[in-house]
Amino acid sequence: MDTKHLGINSKLIHAGHKADATGSVNTPIYQTSTFAFRNAAHGAALFAGEEDGFIYTRIGNPTIRALEDSVAELENGCGGIATSSGMGAICTVYLALLEAGAHMVSTASVYGPSRGLMEKDFARFGVQSMYVDTSDVTQVEKALRPNTKLLYVETPSNPTMQVTDIDQVSAIAHAHGCLVVVDNTFASPYLQQPLELGADVVLHSVTKFINGHADVVGGIIVAKETDIYKRLRKAMVNSGCNMDPHQAFLVLRGLKTLGIRVERAQRSAMEIARWLEKQPEVSAVRYIGLESHPQHELAKRQMKGFGSMISFELEGGLEGGRLLMNQVRVATLAVSLGGVETLIEHPASMTHASISPEDRHLAGFSDGLVRYSVGIEDVEDLIADLRQALDAASAESPQRTRNSDTSTMVEEPTLV
Ligand code: LCS
């Protein structure tokens, strides 16, 4: 079905699906590693790119293709490339668009491993990088060098919730002959379309909102132009970062409800953020839907909604956050985000532990920051849960929840 003219919720249901001989309403799982050629000439034509079709699942597969086509349409790109994980997508982007001697400028508070992979691994192959607050356009402009090939932006950023003006930074980067990649994981294509705002490439950890059910790890990249799409696909195929057909099937299933999940979760997030702002134990709330957020107006212009990610700090600093995380009962203490279930985690010791304490400080978040991914439970239950957790935390250690004690902070880097 041609879905180009349809609204986003209709696209979520129908884009990417191609009817097969059975009339299957959903794209089946083509659980096969390889595809038979009709004859030798057919095989040769597929390899030469003279005919469209499937060769081998690392290169392409109908179930994976359905997901790639669907997200490419949602993002208004020329083609999608599904990957084994969000990090697989990021690795593919670095591999395809950078080389020895090239320089990358990125958001300082980017997801920990996105930075770790560059600083610890790609650096060994001579790729240079620099991390700035990309929500500040002047910092971006100053960071660009003649050899800067890539501006890699995460917006909203994990876990600081900073919002970068994609339109403005794209114009600056393009004037320097530099490509722009946006990690759109926190917004999802339902709320933000970076390619429409000037970016060249958009990527997602589909593990989060796109799949939405905490049962799959995966990634996807969408390019605006064909030549970049081809470079990215080649890097994915050669590095073996491909998605698996069963993964793709589950993500296709999750994707259909993206709109209703995001709408509900962001409604609850607004209520929770406003409630958190009023609690005496809470010293700061970062939610882009709040007027107090420094880029609230930009988010209003750039996004179709404010999403469901909240970061907050307690008066009791790190210790206060730890006590709270141990006391929640409806929310689950776990990393990841963007699922139907509410998750709470501690970036400094978990998702961003691989970034040094100095760099975390420079990126703009304290060891006391707690990240809260709002799910689709009843909002009254989530608020009651937070209230009882704050009460229990205070009862457990009334004086400690009011001190900023970071002396017991574990600096051991982890893998997530
Ligand atoms: N980009 C962002 C913004 C992320 O938050 C993550 C994972 C990734 C990329 C990597 O995706 P993955 O390979 O895990 O599919 N973020 C995580 C987080 O904040 N908690 O656990 C994983």
Side-chain angles (χ1 to χ4, degrees):
M1 184 199 302
D2 178 10
T3 51
K4 292 251 178 321
H5 62 289
L6 299 178
I8 188 150
N9 284 295
S10 307
K11 281 185 179 165
L12 285 169
I13 306 298
H14 299 291
H17 177 68
K18 287 201 178 58
D20 70 0
T22 68
S24 170
V25 168
N26 286 302
T27 306
I29 310 173
Y30 286 89
Q31 194 68 51
T32 181
S33 59
T34 196
F35 297 82
F37 306 132
R38 288 193 302 276
N39 50 46
H42 177 221
L46 288 174
F47 269 96
E50 290 158 0
E51 216 178 295
D52 191 26
F54 297 99
I55 298 171
Y56 183 62
T57 283
R58 175 161 51 75
I59 303 172
N61 173 292
T63 319
I64 302 170
R65 167 87 62 94
L67 176 66
E68 291 171 335
D69 289 351
S70 175
V71 180
E73 190 163 328
L74 294 168
E75 290 283 10
N76 278 315
C78 79
I81 300 154
T83 53
S84 52
S85 65
M87 285 314 301
I90 292 160
C91 189
T92 301
V93 161
Y94 292 169
L95 201 55
L97 306 180
L98 293 163
E99 69 273 325
H103 178 245
M104 180 182 89
V105 173
S106 180
T107 306
S109 68
V110 75
Y111 174 57
S114 304
R115 182 164 177 170
L117 176 67
M118 176 53 64
E119 287 187 316
K120 296 187 179 107
D121 298 303
F122 276 81
R124 292 186 286 114
F125 302 99
V127 183
Q128 304 151 18
S129 58
M130 187 174 176
Y131 300 84
V132 298
D133 176 0
T134 51
S135 70
D136 177 355
V137 181
T138 51
Q139 284 195 36
V140 173
E141 191 146 34
K142 273 197 205 141
L144 296 174
R145 300 180 191 159
N147 62 335
T148 308
K149 293 284 170 66
L150 200 64
L151 173 65
Y152 181 95
V153 170
E154 194 180 284
T155 182
S157 63
N158 181 1
T160 55
M161 303 307 300
Q162 283 155 314
V163 181
T164 297
D165 189 327
I166 299 171
D167 178 46
Q168 268 194 31
V169 297
S170 298
I172 292 167
H174 290 152
H176 280 74
C178 165
L179 292 173
V180 179
V181 175
V182 173
D183 183 334
N184 199 24
T185 299
F186 267 42
S188 89
Y190 191 77
L191 297 180
Q192 177 169 272
Q193 277 124 6
L195 302 183
E196 296 287 286
L197 297 163
D200 303 288
V201 174
V202 58
L203 67 87
H204 292 270
S205 163
V206 303
T207 316
K208 314 296 173 354
F209 290 97
I210 287 185
N211 179 59
H213 293 75
D215 51 10
V216 175
V217 167
I220 200 156
I221 314 166
V222 176
K224 185 146 74 182
E225 306 288 352
T226 313
D227 59 332
I228 295 171
Y229 167 79
K230 284 184 179 161
R231 282 162 70 186
L232 289 162
R233 180 160 283 282
K234 196 163 135 226
M236 182 281 285
V237 167
N238 289 347
S239 63
C241 284
N242 59 287
M243 190 175 265
D244 172 87
H246 187 247
Q247 251 175 310
F249 171 80
L250 287 170
V251 180
L252 279 166
R253 182 162 124 152
L255 184 61
K256 288 183 199 293
T257 55
L258 178 69
I260 52 174
R261 284 187 284 109
V262 167
E263 294 286 0
R264 180 178 168 92
Q266 72 179 358
R267 232 184 3 257
S268 299
M270 182 60 101
E271 233 180 279
I272 293 168
R274 289 208 193 288
W275 178 84
L276 280 169
E277 269 196 319
K278 290 191 209 117
Q279 306 313 302
E281 298 92 339
V282 178
S283 57
V285 183
R286 301 180 190 206
Y287 178 61
I288 58 177
L290 294 176
E291 293 77 11
S292 58
H293 188 282
Q295 290 99 36
H296 174 69
E297 287 304 319
L298 167 61
K300 243 183 179 168
R301 280 202 308 278
Q302 181 163 282
M303 300 172 66
K304 297 185 180 81
F306 302 118
S308 48
M309 295 301 298
I310 303 174
S311 289
F312 59 95
E313 294 187 48
L314 297 178
E315 288 291 345
L318 172 63
E319 190 57 15
R322 273 195 186 140
L323 290 171
L324 173 85
M325 285 186 287
N326 286 336
Q327 296 294 348
V328 289
R329 298 289 175 263
V330 180
T332 302
L333 174 55
V335 294
S336 202
L337 56 106
V340 290
E341 57 288 296
T342 297
L343 301 180
I344 191 166
E345 70 111 8
H346 178 233
S349 68
M350 297 171 186
T351 46
H352 293 69
S354 57
I355 300 177
S356 71
E358 300 76 48
D359 285 338
R360 287 199 300 267
H361 176 72
L362 285 172
F365 64 101
S366 74
D367 286 347
L369 193 78
V370 172
R371 194 185 71 188
Y372 194 76
S373 169
V374 182
I376 62 168
E377 298 94 338
D378 289 304
V379 67
E380 298 78 15
D381 290 335
L382 294 173
I383 289 177
D385 181 44
L386 283 168
R387 188 59 262 163
Q388 70 73 29
L390 287 169
D391 289 343
S394 304
E396 196 176 314
S397 183
Q399 70 287 6
R400 278 197 296 164
T401 54
R402 308 231 167 252
N403 289 335
S404 292
D405 171 16
T406 57
S407 58
T408 53
M409 180 69 207
V410 180
E411 298 303 355
E412 189 93 343
T414 67
L415 292 176
V416 267

